[in-house]
Amino acid sequence: MFNYLLSLFSNDMGIDLGTASILVYLKGQEIVLREPSVVAMEKDTKQVLAIGVEAKRMLGKTPANIIAVRPLRNGVIADFEATERMIRYFIKKVHNRRSLLHPRVVIGVPSGITEVERRAVRESAEQAGARDVYLIDEPMAAAIGAGIPIQEPEGSMIVDIGGGTTEVAVISLGGMVVAKSLGIAGDEMDEAIVQYFRRKYNLIIGDNTAEEVKMKIGSVYPLEKEMTMDVKGRDQVTGLPKTVKITSEEIRSALSDPVKAIIEVIKNTLEETPAELAADLVDRGIIMSGGGSLIKGLPELLAQETELPVNLADDPITCVARGTGMYLEELDNIKNSKKKNF
């Protein structure tokens, strides 16, 4: 009863702590925040100057005394102090002092991270002001957020392609039967595009430009009508600004290596799936979530490679955040049921 009363006066939240962006689900209000996972700070004093959208605008454009960093790499904490400040900023922004109590927080984390990395995430959230911190594996959170009936005694497959990791899992009876985490996802696609421009055109472009190219004309499967785009950067030979016209076929070629790695881990997961659950997937197919799943033609390519039906989840970018929120909503029920079991 005491915990129930605490929950009434606390703005509990679920957080998708992504490499590229952070999404926050506020209990009773759905998704209330979506901002880039970027922190800008003064180089010598480490004083934070900007976080989120404002900080992302600074990427690649800062003077020597300012650095803009992504404190999360491959879904795990690379810079503990910057991550703590970032989480604190977002908790404060969402919490907005509307409650006297610190919030309970559910955080989605990659399934493949170590216990040390899990402890770092938990401690970072606690230092940022969370009252209690619960961790949920991202594939499970994505499956819940995508509306997959995870408690049924049938196999369901979720593929969540985020910024830093690709999470693949076969779920049945409320647990992950087979799960794999790959440190190749949206960020590696951006880097592949950056390297392609450098090799082919001697053109240096930034991460933000690469991401824009990926989202506008990037594809991994032949399009009915191929597209073109003008891309601006710096000529690495002359050092002068330069513009080149790029085609969607070229970007498809640039993305081939990271996409092959993602398809390979999906196939490996299928190979390790028990026969009875694999049979379920023939009808139920694969559900895709995460921002990386929005690359044009990816569902079609995956369907061709696996010979299974492939569908995008509704609003795939928010699946993990919605899953953490739905887990949060059921947290008291889950704790009560565990007490009864003991």
Side-chain angles (χ1 to χ4, degrees):
M1 175 60 74
F2 179 69
N3 286 334
Y4 173 73
L5 290 174
L6 283 177
S7 69
L8 289 179
F9 295 99
S10 173
N11 290 321
D12 297 338
M13 61 188 70
I15 299 177
D16 175 7
L17 194 63
T19 303
S21 60
I22 285 185
L23 285 80
V24 178
Y25 177 108
L26 192 61
K27 189 174 181 180
Q29 295 185 41
E30 297 291 324
I31 308 283
V32 295
L33 183 142
R34 184 188 307 185
E35 292 201 29
S37 306
V38 184
V39 177
M41 62 180 70
E42 211 282 333
K43 188 174 183 179
D44 296 326
T45 65
K46 300 298 182 181
Q47 178 184 355
V48 173
L49 304 175
I51 294 175
V53 174
E54 188 179 348
K56 186 177 181 181
R57 294 196 190 104
M58 299 181 181
L59 280 174
K61 300 180 180 180
T62 58
N65 65 318
I66 297 175
I67 54 174
V69 299
R70 294 181 181 273
L72 296 152
R73 289 290 176 187
N74 296 328
V76 299
I77 295 175
D79 185 326
F80 184 88
E81 185 177 352
T83 300
E84 180 191 324
R85 292 186 181 186
M86 184 172 66
I87 294 175
R88 183 188 299 276
Y89 170 80
F90 289 128
I91 288 178
K92 185 177 179 181
K93 188 172 183 178
V94 172
H95 210 240
N96 202 25
R97 296 184 180 178
R98 287 171 294 187
S99 169
L100 297 175
L101 296 172
H102 293 291
R104 292 183 304 173
V105 176
V106 176
I107 300 177
V109 296
S111 61
I113 67 173
T114 65
E115 283 303 316
V116 172
E117 290 165 336
R118 285 176 181 270
R119 195 179 308 122
V121 172
R122 185 178 287 108
E123 289 177 359
S124 183
E126 288 172 348
Q127 291 291 327
R131 183 172 89 248
D132 295 309
V133 180
Y134 304 88
L135 304 184
I136 179 173
D137 289 325
E138 283 179 359
M140 184 63 76
I144 295 171
I148 293 175
I150 63 169
Q151 298 295 343
E152 291 186 5
E154 295 181 336
S156 298
M157 188 174 201
I158 184 77
V159 175
D160 182 69
I161 306 175
T165 61
T166 294
E167 302 289 326
V168 185
V170 175
I171 297 169
S172 178
L173 291 170
M176 296 188 298
V177 181
V178 185
K180 292 187 180 295
S181 183
L182 176 70
I184 295 176
D187 288 350
E188 281 64 32
M189 294 182 190
D190 294 344
E191 180 60 25
I193 292 172
V194 168
Q195 294 304 320
Y196 181 84
F197 275 93
R198 192 183 290 267
R199 289 194 311 270
K200 180 78 179 288
Y201 296 103
N202 283 325
L203 188 74
I204 299 173
I205 64 172
D207 293 340
N208 287 347
T209 300
E211 184 180 21
E212 183 183 3
V213 171
K214 177 183 70 177
M215 298 311 297
K216 284 190 174 179
I217 67 169
S219 71
V220 297
Y221 199 77
L223 304 173
E224 288 186 11
K225 185 178 180 180
E226 301 292 349
M227 298 176 289
T228 63
M229 178 180 176
D230 288 332
V231 180
K232 300 173 184 177
R234 176 168 59 86
D235 190 308
Q236 66 178 348
V237 177
T238 66
L240 300 175
K242 177 180 174 182
T243 301
V244 300
K245 186 179 286 292
I246 196 84
T247 68
S248 52
E249 293 102 322
E250 289 179 276
I251 301 304
R252 190 154 59 244
S253 172
L255 294 174
S256 62
D257 285 345
V259 170
K260 283 178 183 176
I262 291 171
I263 289 176
E264 190 65 27
V265 78
I266 293 170
K267 287 183 174 180
N268 290 342
T269 304
L270 288 169
E271 289 171 2
E272 295 180 22
T273 301
E276 291 295 332
L277 296 181
D280 295 334
L281 298 180
V282 173
D283 296 321
R284 300 170 76 94
I286 299 171
I287 302 297
M288 298 190 69
S289 66
S293 66
L294 295 174
I295 298 294
K296 297 175 185 68
L298 190 52
E300 291 83 354
L301 178 62
L302 185 53
Q304 176 181 291
E305 292 288 332
T306 62
E307 300 182 3
L308 293 173
V310 179
N311 296 293
L312 275 177
D314 292 335
D315 196 3
I317 293 177
T318 66
C319 281
V320 171
R322 281 188 281 126
T324 62
M326 294 167 74
Y327 179 84
L328 179 66
E329 299 283 359
E330 293 296 320
L331 203 51
D332 291 323
N333 294 336
I334 292 170
K335 291 172 72 174
N336 289 335
S337 65
K338 285 184 177 179
K339 287 179 182 178
K340 290 178 182 177
N341 289 337
F342 289 101

